[in-house]
Amino acid sequence: MPPPRLARDAGRRAFGADPANYHGARPDYPEWVYRTLRSRCGLGPGAATFEIGAGTGKATGRLLEAGADPLVAVEPDSRLAEFLRTAHPDPALTVLLSAFEDAALAEAAFDLGVCGTAFHWLDEEAALARITRLLRPGGWWAAFWNVFGDDSRPDPFHLATLELLEGPSTPSAGERGIPFGLDTEARLAALTRTGAFDIVDTAMSTWSLVLDEDQAAALYATYSTVSLRPDREAVLAGLRRIARDNFGGRVVRNMTTSLYIARRAA
């Protein structure tokens, strides 16, 4: 029997307890993601852009640097939204404190829509239907993930912490035994089913994230499956102990970054 899932509403509120730690502990997206957004998806000066689930702004800052203007960042957690406003005091940025489903966004007003490691918290079909209405003809949608895992390589730390971390999963685990962000067949099929996109494409890369024991604990503290646990501090202490005693204070996590892009048909 598969493990129980965290409810979407609970999961969406799990990331705002310590915004500064989230921002510092979560890895950045590889540079090739932003190169693709600039070269293929119209990201550049004056590109009207919306961002779903902006969080602390791991991607927001890069979008602003590339010239996105206006950039409307939609974030449902008030603590993350306030961190985002403070971290990026840019006149091009508007932060909407709202779930994407309820956000006041003008239809056919955007050249680009993006979502970084958050789209699995939405109902995919309904969200894509709304996204197609928000984009102008020729506008682009881009969803990308940093996924902690790569089945093509051994992952000793993951295996060593399975028992400690046993508990509910999140929608990021996907529905077919494949992480949501890595299920290329399902994600491309959903984009195609909208009937609204004339180009649909994807790209992936694998890389390694090297952490010491404190960095590993800080990272895992940002996981909704850890932050919502009543025994959170004991779990984090256990992670530190495993990282120190079993791995000599050097943890290597296998990472996969995925990107899905689609162009709104004219």
Side-chain angles (χ1 to χ4, degrees), residues 156-166 220 238-239 242:
F157 188 73
H158 174 67
L159 294 176
T161 56
L162 277 176
E163 183 176 351
L164 177 66
L165 297 173
E166 185 176 6
Y220 278 72
L239 286 165
I242 292 171

Side-chain angles (χ1 to χ4, degrees), residues 31-229:
E31 185 61 33
W32 67 263
V33 171
Y34 301 106
R35 284 200 306 268
T36 303
L37 296 183
R38 292 192 300 267
S39 65
R40 296 194 61 188
C41 303
L43 175 60
T49 305
F50 67 90
E51 182 184 5
I52 300 173
T56 61
K58 295 298 291 188
T60 311
R62 297 300 306 273
L63 299 174
L64 290 168
E65 289 172 9
D69 185 6
L71 172 57
V72 182
V74 181
E75 173 49 53
D77 186 283
S78 61
R79 300 160 296 182
L80 296 176
E82 183 56 32
F83 184 96
L84 184 60
R85 291 189 185 100
T86 302
H88 300 286
D90 190 310
L93 176 64
T94 298
V95 179
L96 291 184
L97 177 59
S98 174
F100 175 65
E101 297 89 338
D102 305 318
L105 297 167
E107 295 193 357
F110 295 94
D111 303 302
L112 175 64
V114 304
C115 184
T117 315
F119 197 62
H120 51 272
W121 291 108
L122 303 177
D123 179 280
E124 184 173 34
E125 301 289 337
L128 287 175
R130 185 169 198 212
I131 287 161
T132 63
R133 297 193 297 270
L134 297 176
L135 293 172
R136 295 173 177 142
W140 286 83
W141 164 244
F144 43 94
W145 281 264
N146 275 341
V147 177
F148 296 87
D150 171 11
D151 288 343
S152 70
R153 294 181 286 167
D155 200 335
F157 188 73
H158 174 67
L159 294 176
T161 56
L162 277 176
E163 183 176 351
L164 177 66
L165 297 173
E166 185 176 6
S169 66
T170 77
S172 66
E175 300 292 342
R176 308 192 309 155
I178 306 170
F180 188 96
L182 302 185
D183 194 344
T184 301
E185 181 180 352
R187 303 290 73 77
L188 295 180
L191 291 167
T192 301
R193 279 196 302 272
T194 67
F197 298 111
D198 60 3
I199 295 176
V200 173
D201 202 0
T202 185
M204 290 191 184
S205 69
T206 58
W207 48 287
S208 297
L209 180 66
V210 181
L211 307 164
D212 63 27
E213 62 186 85
D214 291 331
Q215 291 169 328
L219 174 63
Y220 278 72
T222 71
Y223 293 3
S224 57
T225 50
V226 173
S227 65
L228 294 175
R229 292 179 62 137

